[in-house]
PDB file of all heavy atoms in Angstrom:
ATOM      1  N   TYR A   1     103.692  93.689  93.086  1.00 98.00           N
ATOM      2  CA  TYR A   1     103.218  93.572  94.467  1.00 98.00           C
ATOM      3  C   TYR A   1     101.983  92.684  94.574  1.00 98.00           C
ATOM      4  O   TYR A   1     101.832  91.923  95.538  1.00 98.00           O
ATOM      5  CB  TYR A   1     102.960  94.951  95.063  1.00 98.00           C
ATOM      6  CG  TYR A   1     104.201  95.521  95.716  1.00 98.00           C
ATOM      7  CD1 TYR A   1     105.119  96.256  94.979  1.00 98.00           C
ATOM      8  CD2 TYR A   1     104.471  95.278  97.057  1.00 98.00           C
ATOM      9  CE1 TYR A   1     106.274  96.746  95.567  1.00 98.00           C
ATOM     10  CE2 TYR A   1     105.618  95.768  97.656  1.00 98.00           C
ATOM     11  CZ  TYR A   1     106.527  96.497  96.905  1.00 98.00           C
ATOM     12  OH  TYR A   1     107.670  96.958  97.489  1.00 98.00           O
ATOM     13  N   LYS A   2     101.108  92.755  93.601  1.00 98.00           N
ATOM     14  CA  LYS A   2      99.922  91.909  93.620  1.00 98.00           C
ATOM     15  C   LYS A   2     100.314  90.437  93.503  1.00 98.00           C
ATOM     16  O   LYS A   2      99.780  89.566  94.204  1.00 98.00           O
ATOM     17  CB  LYS A   2      98.982  92.289  92.477  1.00 98.00           C
ATOM     18  CG  LYS A   2      97.701  91.457  92.455  1.00 98.00           C
ATOM     19  CD  LYS A   2      96.797  91.867  91.294  1.00 98.00           C
ATOM     20  CE  LYS A   2      95.545  91.002  91.254  1.00 98.00           C
ATOM     21  NZ  LYS A   2      94.660  91.356  90.100  1.00 98.00           N
ATOM     22  N   ALA A   3     101.290  90.146  92.632  1.00 98.00           N
ATOM     23  CA  ALA A   3     101.716  88.763  92.408  1.00 98.00           C
ATOM     24  C   ALA A   3     102.282  88.135  93.676  1.00 98.00           C
ATOM     25  O   ALA A   3     102.067  86.947  93.944  1.00 98.00           O
ATOM     26  CB  ALA A   3     102.738  88.705  91.276  1.00 98.00           C
ATOM     27  N   PHE A   4     103.017  88.934  94.459  1.00 98.00           N
ATOM     28  CA  PHE A   4     103.654  88.407  95.667  1.00 98.00           C
ATOM     29  C   PHE A   4     102.879  88.758  96.940  1.00 98.00           C
ATOM     30  O   PHE A   4     103.416  88.651  98.040  1.00 98.00           O
ATOM     31  CB  PHE A   4     105.090  88.936  95.774  1.00 98.00           C
ATOM     32  CG  PHE A   4     106.072  88.207  94.900  1.00 98.00           C
ATOM     33  CD1 PHE A   4     106.364  88.673  93.627  1.00 98.00           C
ATOM     34  CD2 PHE A   4     106.690  87.053  95.351  1.00 98.00           C
ATOM     35  CE1 PHE A   4     107.276  87.994  92.814  1.00 98.00           C
ATOM     36  CE2 PHE A   4     107.603  86.370  94.557  1.00 98.00           C
ATOM     37  CZ  PHE A   4     107.898  86.845  93.279  1.00 98.00           C
ATOM     38  N   SER A   5     101.617  89.128  96.793  1.00 98.00           N
ATOM     39  CA  SER A   5     100.828  89.539  97.954  1.00 98.00           C
ATOM     40  C   SER A   5     100.598  88.404  98.947  1.00 98.00           C
ATOM     41  O   SER A   5     100.227  88.642 100.097  1.00 98.00           O
ATOM     42  CB  SER A   5      99.483  90.126  97.498  1.00 98.00           C
ATOM     43  OG  SER A   5      98.742  89.154  96.777  1.00 98.00           O
ATOM     44  N   TRP A   6     100.828  87.153  98.514  1.00 98.00           N
ATOM     45  CA  TRP A   6     100.694  86.013  99.429  1.00 98.00           C
ATOM     46  C   TRP A   6     101.744  86.044 100.533  1.00 98.00           C
ATOM     47  O   TRP A   6     101.578  85.401 101.567  1.00 98.00           O
ATOM     48  CB  TRP A   6     100.806  84.697  98.657  1.00 98.00           C
ATOM     49  CG  TRP A   6     102.090  84.552  97.867  1.00 98.00           C
ATOM     50  CD1 TRP A   6     102.272  84.858  96.547  1.00 98.00           C
ATOM     51  CD2 TRP A   6     103.351  84.058  98.345  1.00 98.00           C
ATOM     52  NE1 TRP A   6     103.568  84.600  96.182  1.00 98.00           N
ATOM     53  CE2 TRP A   6     104.251  84.111  97.258  1.00 98.00           C
ATOM     54  CE3 TRP A   6     103.799  83.583  99.581  1.00 98.00           C
ATOM     55  CZ2 TRP A   6     105.579  83.700  97.362  1.00 98.00           C
ATOM     56  CZ3 TRP A   6     105.128  83.186  99.693  1.00 98.00           C
ATOM     57  CH2 TRP A   6     106.007  83.236  98.600  1.00 98.00           C
ATOM     58  N   ASN A   7     102.841  86.797 100.293  1.00 98.00           N
ATOM     59  CA  ASN A   7     103.918  86.880 101.276  1.00 98.00           C
ATOM     60  C   ASN A   7     103.801  88.205 102.023  1.00 98.00           C
ATOM     61  O   ASN A   7     103.961  89.269 101.437  1.00 98.00           O
ATOM     62  CB  ASN A   7     105.281  86.762 100.596  1.00 98.00           C
ATOM     63  CG  ASN A   7     106.423  86.757 101.590  1.00 98.00           C
ATOM     64  OD1 ASN A   7     107.072  87.780 101.822  1.00 98.00           O
ATOM     65  ND2 ASN A   7     106.688  85.607 102.197  1.00 98.00           N
ATOM     66  N   LYS A   8     103.509  88.128 103.316  1.00 97.00           N
ATOM     67  CA  LYS A   8     103.214  89.319 104.112  1.00 97.00           C
ATOM     68  C   LYS A   8     104.332  90.349 104.088  1.00 97.00           C
ATOM     69  O   LYS A   8     104.086  91.560 104.060  1.00 97.00           O
ATOM     70  CB  LYS A   8     102.918  88.903 105.553  1.00 97.00           C
ATOM     71  CG  LYS A   8     102.457  90.045 106.447  1.00 97.00           C
ATOM     72  CD  LYS A   8     102.115  89.537 107.836  1.00 97.00           C
ATOM     73  CE  LYS A   8     101.669  90.677 108.749  1.00 97.00           C
ATOM     74  NZ  LYS A   8     101.333  90.187 110.119  1.00 97.00           N
ATOM     75  N   GLY A   9     105.575  89.908 104.071  1.00 98.00           N
ATOM     76  CA  GLY A   9     106.691  90.850 104.155  1.00 98.00           C
ATOM     77  C   GLY A   9     107.325  91.204 102.832  1.00 98.00           C
ATOM     78  O   GLY A   9     108.394  91.832 102.797  1.00 98.00           O
ATOM     79  N   PHE A  10     106.685  90.837 101.711  1.00 98.00           N
ATOM     80  CA  PHE A  10     107.316  91.050 100.406  1.00 98.00           C
ATOM     81  C   PHE A  10     107.704  92.504 100.175  1.00 98.00           C
ATOM     82  O   PHE A  10     106.960  93.425 100.496  1.00 98.00           O
ATOM     83  CB  PHE A  10     106.389  90.607  99.268  1.00 98.00           C
ATOM     84  CG  PHE A  10     106.956  90.944  97.913  1.00 98.00           C
ATOM     85  CD1 PHE A  10     107.961  90.174  97.365  1.00 98.00           C
ATOM     86  CD2 PHE A  10     106.501  92.059  97.210  1.00 98.00           C
ATOM     87  CE1 PHE A  10     108.513  90.493  96.130  1.00 98.00           C
ATOM     88  CE2 PHE A  10     107.036  92.385  95.970  1.00 98.00           C
ATOM     89  CZ  PHE A  10     108.049  91.598  95.422  1.00 98.00           C
ATOM     90  N   LYS A  11     108.884  92.694  99.559  1.00 98.00           N
ATOM     91  CA  LYS A  11     109.309  94.035  99.174  1.00 98.00           C
ATOM     92  C   LYS A  11     110.220  93.948  97.950  1.00 98.00           C
ATOM     93  O   LYS A  11     111.091  93.083  97.871  1.00 98.00           O
ATOM     94  CB  LYS A  11     110.059  94.745 100.305  1.00 98.00           C
ATOM     95  CG  LYS A  11     110.241  96.251 100.051  1.00 98.00           C
ATOM     96  CD  LYS A  11     110.784  96.944 101.276  1.00 98.00           C
ATOM     97  CE  LYS A  11     110.840  98.457 101.085  1.00 98.00           C
ATOM     98  NZ  LYS A  11     109.489  99.066 101.007  1.00 98.00           N
ATOM     99  N   GLU A  12     109.998  94.837  97.009  1.00 98.00           N
ATOM    100  CA  GLU A  12     110.860  94.996  95.854  1.00 98.00           C
ATOM    101  C   GLU A  12     111.831  96.136  96.127  1.00 98.00           C
ATOM    102  O   GLU A  12     111.428  97.248  96.486  1.00 98.00           O
ATOM    103  CB  GLU A  12     110.026  95.295  94.603  1.00 98.00           C
ATOM    104  CG  GLU A  12     110.740  96.011  93.470  1.00 98.00           C
ATOM    105  CD  GLU A  12     111.860  95.223  92.804  1.00 98.00           C
ATOM    106  OE1 GLU A  12     111.914  93.990  92.986  1.00 98.00           O
ATOM    107  OE2 GLU A  12     112.682  95.836  92.114  1.00 98.00           O
ATOM    108  N   TYR A  13     113.113  95.838  95.987  1.00 98.00           N
ATOM    109  CA  TYR A  13     114.171  96.849  96.100  1.00 98.00           C
ATOM    110  C   TYR A  13     114.693  97.109  94.689  1.00 98.00           C
ATOM    111  O   TYR A  13     115.455  96.311  94.141  1.00 98.00           O
ATOM    112  CB  TYR A  13     115.302  96.350  97.002  1.00 98.00           C
ATOM    113  CG  TYR A  13     114.942  96.255  98.458  1.00 98.00           C
ATOM    114  CD1 TYR A  13     114.310  95.121  98.961  1.00 98.00           C
ATOM    115  CD2 TYR A  13     115.223  97.294  99.339  1.00 98.00           C
ATOM    116  CE1 TYR A  13     113.965  95.026 100.304  1.00 98.00           C
ATOM    117  CE2 TYR A  13     114.880  97.208 100.683  1.00 98.00           C
ATOM    118  CZ  TYR A  13     114.255  96.073 101.158  1.00 98.00           C
ATOM    119  OH  TYR A  13     113.919  95.992 102.493  1.00 98.00           O
ATOM    120  N   PHE A  14     114.268  98.214  94.099  1.00 98.00           N
ATOM    121  CA  PHE A  14     114.653  98.504  92.720  1.00 98.00           C
ATOM    122  C   PHE A  14     116.160  98.674  92.601  1.00 98.00           C
ATOM    123  O   PHE A  14     116.784  99.393  93.385  1.00 98.00           O
ATOM    124  CB  PHE A  14     113.942  99.766  92.223  1.00 98.00           C
ATOM    125  CG  PHE A  14     114.369 100.179  90.842  1.00 98.00           C
ATOM    126  CD1 PHE A  14     114.029  99.406  89.739  1.00 98.00           C
ATOM    127  CD2 PHE A  14     115.128 101.331  90.644  1.00 98.00           C
ATOM    128  CE1 PHE A  14     114.432  99.778  88.464  1.00 98.00           C
ATOM    129  CE2 PHE A  14     115.527 101.714  89.377  1.00 98.00           C
ATOM    130  CZ  PHE A  14     115.184 100.927  88.281  1.00 98.00           C
ATOM    131  N   ALA A  15     116.741  98.021  91.598  1.00 97.00           N
ATOM    132  CA  ALA A  15     118.188  98.099  91.377  1.00 97.00           C
ATOM    133  C   ALA A  15     118.548  99.462  90.792  1.00 97.00           C
ATOM    134  O   ALA A  15     118.351  99.713  89.605  1.00 97.00           O
ATOM    135  CB  ALA A  15     118.631  96.980  90.436  1.00 97.00           C
ATOM    136  N   VAL A  16     119.081 100.329  91.637  1.00 98.00           N
ATOM    137  CA  VAL A  16     119.380 101.706  91.228  1.00 98.00           C
ATOM    138  C   VAL A  16     120.311 101.730  90.026  1.00 98.00           C
ATOM    139  O   VAL A  16     120.192 102.596  89.151  1.00 98.00           O
ATOM    140  CB  VAL A  16     119.984 102.503  92.402  1.00 98.00           C
ATOM    141  CG1 VAL A  16     120.358 103.916  91.962  1.00 98.00           C
ATOM    142  CG2 VAL A  16     119.007 102.555  93.567  1.00 98.00           C
ATOM    143  N   LYS A  17     121.241 100.776  89.962  1.00 97.00           N
ATOM    144  CA  LYS A  17     122.205 100.759  88.855  1.00 97.00           C
ATOM    145  C   LYS A  17     121.522 100.694  87.495  1.00 97.00           C
ATOM    146  O   LYS A  17     122.095 101.107  86.492  1.00 97.00           O
ATOM    147  CB  LYS A  17     123.168  99.593  89.005  1.00 97.00           C
ATOM    148  CG  LYS A  17     122.524  98.224  89.017  1.00 97.00           C
ATOM    149  CD  LYS A  17     123.571  97.123  89.199  1.00 97.00           C
ATOM    150  CE  LYS A  17     122.909  95.775  89.446  1.00 97.00           C
ATOM    151  NZ  LYS A  17     122.342  95.698  90.821  1.00 97.00           N
ATOM    152  N   ALA A  18     120.296 100.161  87.452  1.00 98.00           N
ATOM    153  CA  ALA A  18     119.596 100.009  86.180  1.00 98.00           C
ATOM    154  C   ALA A  18     119.152 101.353  85.609  1.00 98.00           C
ATOM    155  O   ALA A  18     119.265 101.590  84.399  1.00 98.00           O
ATOM    156  CB  ALA A  18     118.388  99.096  86.347  1.00 98.00           C
ATOM    157  N   THR A  19     118.642 102.222  86.473  1.00 98.00           N
ATOM    158  CA  THR A  19     118.135 103.536  86.038  1.00 98.00           C
ATOM    159  C   THR A  19     118.323 104.527  87.178  1.00 98.00           C
ATOM    160  O   THR A  19     117.385 104.824  87.931  1.00 98.00           O
ATOM    161  CB  THR A  19     116.640 103.462  85.658  1.00 98.00           C
ATOM    162  OG1 THR A  19     116.379 102.250  84.943  1.00 98.00           O
ATOM    163  CG2 THR A  19     116.224 104.657  84.803  1.00 98.00           C
ATOM    164  N   PRO A  20     119.523 105.048  87.342  1.00 98.00           N
ATOM    165  CA  PRO A  20     119.808 105.913  88.493  1.00 98.00           C
ATOM    166  C   PRO A  20     119.294 107.340  88.301  1.00 98.00           C
ATOM    167  O   PRO A  20     120.066 108.274  88.039  1.00 98.00           O
ATOM    168  CB  PRO A  20     121.338 105.872  88.590  1.00 98.00           C
ATOM    169  CG  PRO A  20     121.784 105.647  87.178  1.00 98.00           C
ATOM    170  CD  PRO A  20     120.727 104.789  86.535  1.00 98.00           C
ATOM    171  N   ASN A  21     118.002 107.506  88.437  1.00 98.00           N
ATOM    172  CA  ASN A  21     117.398 108.829  88.298  1.00 98.00           C
ATOM    173  C   ASN A  21     116.442 109.064  89.477  1.00 98.00           C
ATOM    174  O   ASN A  21     115.575 108.223  89.738  1.00 98.00           O
ATOM    175  CB  ASN A  21     116.635 108.932  86.975  1.00 98.00           C
ATOM    176  CG  ASN A  21     116.135 110.337  86.720  1.00 98.00           C
ATOM    177  OD1 ASN A  21     115.202 110.795  87.385  1.00 98.00           O
ATOM    178  ND2 ASN A  21     116.740 111.048  85.778  1.00 98.00           N
ATOM    179  N   PRO A  22     116.589 110.170  90.187  1.00 98.00           N
ATOM    180  CA  PRO A  22     115.755 110.426  91.372  1.00 98.00           C
ATOM    181  C   PRO A  22     114.257 110.375  91.101  1.00 98.00           C
ATOM    182  O   PRO A  22     113.494 109.878  91.937  1.00 98.00           O
ATOM    183  CB  PRO A  22     116.188 111.827  91.815  1.00 98.00           C
ATOM    184  CG  PRO A  22     117.556 111.994  91.273  1.00 98.00           C
ATOM    185  CD  PRO A  22     117.583 111.242  89.976  1.00 98.00           C
ATOM    186  N   THR A  23     113.829 110.875  89.959  1.00 98.00           N
ATOM    187  CA  THR A  23     112.400 110.866  89.650  1.00 98.00           C
ATOM    188  C   THR A  23     111.878 109.444  89.545  1.00 98.00           C
ATOM    189  O   THR A  23     110.790 109.119  90.052  1.00 98.00           O
ATOM    190  CB  THR A  23     112.117 111.638  88.346  1.00 98.00           C
ATOM    191  OG1 THR A  23     112.619 112.976  88.475  1.00 98.00           O
ATOM    192  CG2 THR A  23     110.630 111.687  88.046  1.00 98.00           C
ATOM    193  N   ILE A  24     112.652 108.574  88.901  1.00 98.00           N
ATOM    194  CA  ILE A  24     112.261 107.167  88.787  1.00 98.00           C
ATOM    195  C   ILE A  24     112.214 106.529  90.163  1.00 98.00           C
ATOM    196  O   ILE A  24     111.264 105.791  90.497  1.00 98.00           O
ATOM    197  CB  ILE A  24     113.235 106.410  87.870  1.00 98.00           C
ATOM    198  CG1 ILE A  24     113.211 106.987  86.442  1.00 98.00           C
ATOM    199  CG2 ILE A  24     112.926 104.918  87.874  1.00 98.00           C
ATOM    200  CD1 ILE A  24     111.887 106.884  85.742  1.00 98.00           C
ATOM    201  N   LEU A  25     113.215 106.791  91.004  1.00 98.00           N
ATOM    202  CA  LEU A  25     113.247 106.205  92.346  1.00 98.00           C
ATOM    203  C   LEU A  25     112.050 106.664  93.171  1.00 98.00           C
ATOM    204  O   LEU A  25     111.451 105.868  93.911  1.00 98.00           O
ATOM    205  CB  LEU A  25     114.544 106.573  93.068  1.00 98.00           C
ATOM    206  CG  LEU A  25     115.859 106.134  92.424  1.00 98.00           C
ATOM    207  CD1 LEU A  25     117.011 106.351  93.396  1.00 98.00           C
ATOM    208  CD2 LEU A  25     115.815 104.688  91.959  1.00 98.00           C
ATOM    209  N   LYS A  26     111.687 107.927  93.043  1.00 98.00           N
ATOM    210  CA  LYS A  26     110.547 108.449  93.803  1.00 98.00           C
ATOM    211  C   LYS A  26     109.234 107.820  93.338  1.00 98.00           C
ATOM    212  O   LYS A  26     108.359 107.500  94.152  1.00 98.00           O
ATOM    213  CB  LYS A  26     110.485 109.970  93.665  1.00 98.00           C
ATOM    214  CG  LYS A  26     111.591 110.707  94.408  1.00 98.00           C
ATOM    215  CD  LYS A  26     111.502 112.201  94.168  1.00 98.00           C
ATOM    216  CE  LYS A  26     112.612 112.961  94.868  1.00 98.00           C
ATOM    217  NZ  LYS A  26     112.549 114.416  94.598  1.00 98.00           N
ATOM    218  N   ILE A  27     109.077 107.649  92.028  1.00 98.00           N
ATOM    219  CA  ILE A  27     107.864 107.009  91.507  1.00 98.00           C
ATOM    220  C   ILE A  27     107.735 105.601  92.077  1.00 98.00           C
ATOM    221  O   ILE A  27     106.671 105.198  92.577  1.00 98.00           O
ATOM    222  CB  ILE A  27     107.899 106.958  89.960  1.00 98.00           C
ATOM    223  CG1 ILE A  27     107.699 108.363  89.380  1.00 98.00           C
ATOM    224  CG2 ILE A  27     106.829 106.008  89.423  1.00 98.00           C
ATOM    225  CD1 ILE A  27     107.924 108.446  87.885  1.00 98.00           C
ATOM    226  N   LEU A  28     108.826 104.844  92.025  1.00 98.00           N
ATOM    227  CA  LEU A  28     108.786 103.465  92.517  1.00 98.00           C
ATOM    228  C   LEU A  28     108.611 103.418  94.028  1.00 98.00           C
ATOM    229  O   LEU A  28     107.944 102.514  94.551  1.00 98.00           O
ATOM    230  CB  LEU A  28     110.054 102.728  92.088  1.00 98.00           C
ATOM    231  CG  LEU A  28     110.135 102.440  90.584  1.00 98.00           C
ATOM    232  CD1 LEU A  28     111.509 101.909  90.212  1.00 98.00           C
ATOM    233  CD2 LEU A  28     109.053 101.450  90.155  1.00 98.00           C
ATOM    234  N   HIS A  29     109.197 104.388  94.739  1.00 98.00           N
ATOM    235  CA  HIS A  29     109.036 104.424  96.197  1.00 98.00           C
ATOM    236  C   HIS A  29     107.574 104.664  96.561  1.00 98.00           C
ATOM    237  O   HIS A  29     107.061 104.076  97.531  1.00 98.00           O
ATOM    238  CB  HIS A  29     109.929 105.507  96.795  1.00 98.00           C
ATOM    239  CG  HIS A  29     110.074 105.408  98.276  1.00 98.00           C
ATOM    240  ND1 HIS A  29     109.876 106.471  99.131  1.00 98.00           N
ATOM    241  CD2 HIS A  29     110.385 104.360  99.075  1.00 98.00           C
ATOM    242  CE1 HIS A  29     110.066 106.079 100.379  1.00 98.00           C
ATOM    243  NE2 HIS A  29     110.368 104.812 100.370  1.00 98.00           N
ATOM    244  N   GLU A  30     106.897 105.501  95.790  1.00 98.00           N
ATOM    245  CA  GLU A  30     105.470 105.724  96.008  1.00 98.00           C
ATOM    246  C   GLU A  30     104.674 104.433  95.795  1.00 98.00           C
ATOM    247  O   GLU A  30     103.586 104.264  96.356  1.00 98.00           O
ATOM    248  CB  GLU A  30     104.954 106.808  95.071  1.00 98.00           C
ATOM    249  CG  GLU A  30     105.421 108.209  95.423  1.00 98.00           C
ATOM    250  CD  GLU A  30     104.919 109.263  94.444  1.00 98.00           C
ATOM    251  OE1 GLU A  30     104.130 108.892  93.529  1.00 98.00           O
ATOM    252  OE2 GLU A  30     105.313 110.431  94.571  1.00 98.00           O
ATOM    253  N   CYS A  31     105.228 103.526  94.991  1.00 98.00           N
ATOM    254  CA  CYS A  31     104.574 102.243  94.726  1.00 98.00           C
ATOM    255  C   CYS A  31     104.991 101.176  95.727  1.00 98.00           C
ATOM    256  O   CYS A  31     104.619 100.001  95.571  1.00 98.00           O
ATOM    257  CB  CYS A  31     104.906 101.774  93.308  1.00 98.00           C
ATOM    258  SG  CYS A  31     104.273 102.842  91.992  1.00 98.00           S
ATOM    259  N   GLY A  32     105.779 101.558  96.740  1.00 98.00           N
ATOM    260  CA  GLY A  32     106.162 100.624  97.783  1.00 98.00           C
ATOM    261  C   GLY A  32     107.558 100.066  97.676  1.00 98.00           C
ATOM    262  O   GLY A  32     107.973  99.256  98.516  1.00 98.00           O
ATOM    263  N   CYS A  33     108.300 100.456  96.646  1.00 98.00           N
ATOM    264  CA  CYS A  33     109.625  99.884  96.417  1.00 98.00           C
ATOM    265  C   CYS A  33     110.702 100.597  97.224  1.00 98.00           C
ATOM    266  O   CYS A  33     110.646 101.810  97.429  1.00 98.00           O
ATOM    267  CB  CYS A  33     110.001  99.972  94.938  1.00 98.00           C
ATOM    268  SG  CYS A  33     108.852  99.133  93.830  1.00 98.00           S
ATOM    269  N   GLY A  34     111.695  99.820  97.636  1.00 98.00           N
ATOM    270  CA  GLY A  34     112.911 100.377  98.200  1.00 98.00           C
ATOM    271  C   GLY A  34     113.958 100.470  97.115  1.00 98.00           C
ATOM    272  O   GLY A  34     113.642 100.429  95.917  1.00 98.00           O
ATOM    273  N   THR A  35     115.218 100.603  97.518  1.00 98.00           N
ATOM    274  CA  THR A  35     116.307 100.672  96.557  1.00 98.00           C
ATOM    275  C   THR A  35     117.374  99.639  96.877  1.00 98.00           C
ATOM    276  O   THR A  35     117.702  99.404  98.032  1.00 98.00           O
ATOM    277  CB  THR A  35     116.965 102.067  96.523  1.00 98.00           C
ATOM    278  OG1 THR A  35     117.374 102.435  97.848  1.00 98.00           O
ATOM    279  CG2 THR A  35     116.013 103.110  95.976  1.00 98.00           C
ATOM    280  N   ASP A  36     117.904  99.041  95.828  1.00 98.00           N
ATOM    281  CA  ASP A  36     119.069  98.169  95.911  1.00 98.00           C
ATOM    282  C   ASP A  36     120.261  98.994  95.483  1.00 98.00           C
ATOM    283  O   ASP A  36     120.359  99.412  94.321  1.00 98.00           O
ATOM    284  CB  ASP A  36     118.867  96.953  94.988  1.00 98.00           C
ATOM    285  CG  ASP A  36     120.184  96.292  94.605  1.00 98.00           C
ATOM    286  OD1 ASP A  36     121.072  96.201  95.467  1.00 98.00           O
ATOM    287  OD2 ASP A  36     120.304  95.858  93.442  1.00 98.00           O
ATOM    288  N   CYS A  37     121.170  99.269  96.421  1.00 98.00           N
ATOM    289  CA  CYS A  37     122.322 100.126  96.148  1.00 98.00           C
ATOM    290  C   CYS A  37     123.615  99.319  96.194  1.00 98.00           C
ATOM    291  O   CYS A  37     123.730  98.353  96.958  1.00 98.00           O
ATOM    292  CB  CYS A  37     122.415 101.252  97.178  1.00 98.00           C
ATOM    293  SG  CYS A  37     120.994 102.369  97.196  1.00 98.00           S
ATOM    294  N   SER A  38     124.588  99.741  95.398  1.00 97.00           N
ATOM    295  CA  SER A  38     125.861  99.029  95.374  1.00 97.00           C
ATOM    296  C   SER A  38     127.058  99.969  95.360  1.00 97.00           C
ATOM    297  O   SER A  38     128.182  99.537  95.127  1.00 97.00           O
ATOM    298  CB  SER A  38     125.928  98.099  94.146  1.00 97.00           C
ATOM    299  OG  SER A  38     125.737  98.825  92.949  1.00 97.00           O
ATOM    300  N   SER A  39     126.830 101.249  95.623  1.00 97.00           N
ATOM    301  CA  SER A  39     127.933 102.211  95.633  1.00 97.00           C
ATOM    302  C   SER A  39     127.556 103.409  96.499  1.00 97.00           C
ATOM    303  O   SER A  39     126.389 103.598  96.868  1.00 97.00           O
ATOM    304  CB  SER A  39     128.242 102.695  94.216  1.00 97.00           C
ATOM    305  OG  SER A  39     127.174 103.517  93.738  1.00 97.00           O
ATOM    306  N   LEU A  40     128.546 104.238  96.792  1.00 98.00           N
ATOM    307  CA  LEU A  40     128.307 105.443  97.583  1.00 98.00           C
ATOM    308  C   LEU A  40     127.329 106.376  96.874  1.00 98.00           C
ATOM    309  O   LEU A  40     126.401 106.913  97.489  1.00 98.00           O
ATOM    310  CB  LEU A  40     129.629 106.167  97.846  1.00 98.00           C
ATOM    311  CG  LEU A  40     129.522 107.471  98.646  1.00 98.00           C
ATOM    312  CD1 LEU A  40     128.978 107.212 100.041  1.00 98.00           C
ATOM    313  CD2 LEU A  40     130.888 108.159  98.733  1.00 98.00           C
ATOM    314  N   ALA A  41     127.527 106.573  95.569  1.00 98.00           N
ATOM    315  CA  ALA A  41     126.650 107.483  94.827  1.00 98.00           C
ATOM    316  C   ALA A  41     125.195 107.014  94.865  1.00 98.00           C
ATOM    317  O   ALA A  41     124.273 107.828  94.992  1.00 98.00           O
ATOM    318  CB  ALA A  41     127.124 107.611  93.382  1.00 98.00           C
ATOM    319  N   GLU A  42     124.979 105.711  94.771  1.00 98.00           N
ATOM    320  CA  GLU A  42     123.612 105.198  94.818  1.00 98.00           C
ATOM    321  C   GLU A  42     123.007 105.349  96.209  1.00 98.00           C
ATOM    322  O   GLU A  42     121.810 105.627  96.346  1.00 98.00           O
ATOM    323  CB  GLU A  42     123.604 103.737  94.368  1.00 98.00           C
ATOM    324  CG  GLU A  42     123.926 103.586  92.893  1.00 98.00           C
ATOM    325  CD  GLU A  42     124.027 102.148  92.415  1.00 98.00           C
ATOM    326  OE1 GLU A  42     123.853 101.225  93.243  1.00 98.00           O
ATOM    327  OE2 GLU A  42     124.280 101.951  91.219  1.00 98.00           O
TER     328      GLU A  42
END
């Protein structure tokens, strides 16, 4: 987020397929990240 702070609307959408664990998603969401989903389960 610091690296891309020059862009007002920057957002990282973590690729859920990489590590599909709720605890990981919540940690990253607290850091400002959304999720990149590609299936119903995700």
Side-chain angles (χ1 to χ4, degrees):
Y1 271 88
K2 181 180 178 182
F4 281 93
S5 61
W6 57 265
N7 184 261
K8 186 177 179 180
F10 174 77
K11 193 171 186 68
E12 157 66 17
Y13 290 85
F14 176 69
V16 177
K17 60 181 170 286
T19 320
N21 187 288
T23 303
I24 298 298
L25 300 191
K26 289 177 181 178
I27 289 171
L28 290 171
H29 194 231
E30 288 178 4
C31 296
C33 301
T35 54
D36 158 39
C37 298
S38 57
S39 69
L40 179 63
E42 292 176 0

